[in-house]
Amino acid sequence: MPIHLVVLVLFAALLHASWNALLRGGTDRLWSMTVMCVAIAVSCVLAATFMVRPAPESWGYALLSGLLHVGYNLFLVRSYRVGDLGQIYPISRGSSPVLITLGAAAFAGESIAPGELLGIALVSGGIISLAFRGRSLSVPSLPYALGTGVFIAAYSVVDGIGARLSGAPLAYTVWMCALWGVLMPVVYIGLRDARSLFCVRPGTVSAVVGGLVSLLAYGVVIYAMNEAPLGAVSALRETSVLFAVLIGYLFLGETLTVRRILACVVIVSGTLLIG
């Protein structure tokens, strides 16, 4: 993979870990996630007025991705109810690169070099190992964390194909995120009410900033997916777990063990093989 794409995706990984830490640190995560989506919707609608429309062939992919992103949001919020950042994040993010590689081979006809395939396996294995406590994987919300990984894989493959069909990956990203940003508040209002969503409370600014950061991070990833294999891009993006481990240790009071340090070494090794 070209070095400039590696650097861009690693930057997106740092941004992604940052907004997940903001979400995990909040008290009402469904509300925080929905406010993030409102900020995404507003900014994307404004940006779309200055862009060409994506090719019609990509519109169905954008709508499907928006729906998958809502499912991802709900599963992620549910996962964080009883799990900490240092476990939920590795499981959900570590399971997706291999799934994306398989999905890209099945639906996008992609092939990947043996060295990159080994790098993807090392990154995924290293990431998932971060969630272990001793020899066991004891996570109360494990099904939701794994379900989150499945949603990540599904929308990543859909967006990789959609961006390539669109003829304008940036415009595709804006349209898709606008749909996602509109759908999530509708779901929130159905689950709760409109009044609680639009009231100003502590954490509003953080949620808005988190939404804009997540939009920038995913825009970078979709651009990279348009230029490189989906599985390799995904594996590099999931190095955000390294940043999440550090953020969890420094700001959320989570432990940093020898096992986690060794797992990080494995992830870095995989990253070097991909890059």
Side-chain angles (χ1 to χ4, degrees):
M1 186 185 298
I3 189 63
H4 74 281
L5 290 180
V6 173
V7 173
L8 278 175
V9 176
L10 290 177
F11 173 63
L14 173 59
L15 295 178
H16 195 278
S18 299
W19 78 255
N20 266 261
L22 286 173
L23 178 65
R24 176 62 181 84
T27 55
D28 187 346
R29 298 182 187 96
L30 179 61
W31 175 83
S32 297
M33 180 68 82
T34 308
V35 172
M36 289 170 62
C37 289
V38 171
I40 289 170
V42 172
S43 58
C44 284
V45 168
L46 292 174
T49 60
F50 300 98
M51 296 181 178
V52 298
R53 288 190 301 176
E57 293 82 1
S58 67
W59 294 357
Y61 289 93
L63 177 59
L64 176 58
S65 178
L67 293 170
L68 290 170
H69 270 83
V70 171
Y72 157 75
N73 288 352
L74 295 176
F75 268 65
L76 183 62
V77 167
R78 179 62 181 79
S79 298
Y80 280 148
R81 282 185 186 175
V82 291
D84 66 32
L85 181 69
Q87 283 193 296
I88 299 303
Y89 200 76
I91 294 170
S92 61
R93 308 310 303 191
S95 58
S96 61
V98 172
L99 294 174
I100 291 170
T101 302
L102 295 174
F107 298 105
E110 283 191 357
S111 59
I112 192 163
E116 288 187 335
L117 190 60
L118 176 60
I120 291 169
L122 286 174
V123 170
S124 284
I127 290 171
I128 292 175
S129 71
L130 286 167
F132 278 78
R133 297 292 184 265
R135 295 184 178 180
S136 65
L137 186 62
S138 179
V139 181
S141 54
L142 180 60
Y144 289 97
L146 290 173
T148 301
V150 172
F151 274 109
I152 293 168
Y155 73 61
S156 296
V157 173
V158 168
D159 282 336
I161 298 172
R164 294 172 184 179
L165 292 174
S166 69
L170 182 58
Y172 172 87
T173 303
V174 167
W175 279 53
M176 183 280 293
C177 288
L179 289 169
W180 166 32
V182 169
L183 289 170
M184 188 62 198
V186 172
V187 171
Y188 178 95
I189 291 170
L191 293 173
R192 294 186 183 178
D193 58 79
R195 179 178 297 178
S196 65
L197 173 59
F198 295 108
C199 68
V200 177
R201 64 170 88 170
T204 299
V205 174
S206 295
V208 170
V209 171
L212 298 178
V213 167
S214 69
L215 175 61
L216 175 59
Y218 198 56
V220 169
V221 168
I222 291 183
Y223 167 76
M225 285 179 171
N226 192 58
E227 304 290 331
L230 305 185
V233 173
S234 171
L236 282 178
R237 176 181 61 177
E238 306 318 349
T239 59
S240 57
V241 171
L242 297 174
F243 301 113
V245 168
L246 185 59
I247 291 170
Y249 172 70
L250 293 176
F251 301 108
L252 300 179
E254 297 178 4
T255 58
L256 183 60
T257 63
V258 173
R259 177 189 292 272
R260 287 190 171 190
I261 294 172
L262 292 175
C264 291
V265 171
V266 173
I267 296 168
V268 171
S269 300
T271 301
L272 293 174
L273 283 173
I274 295 170

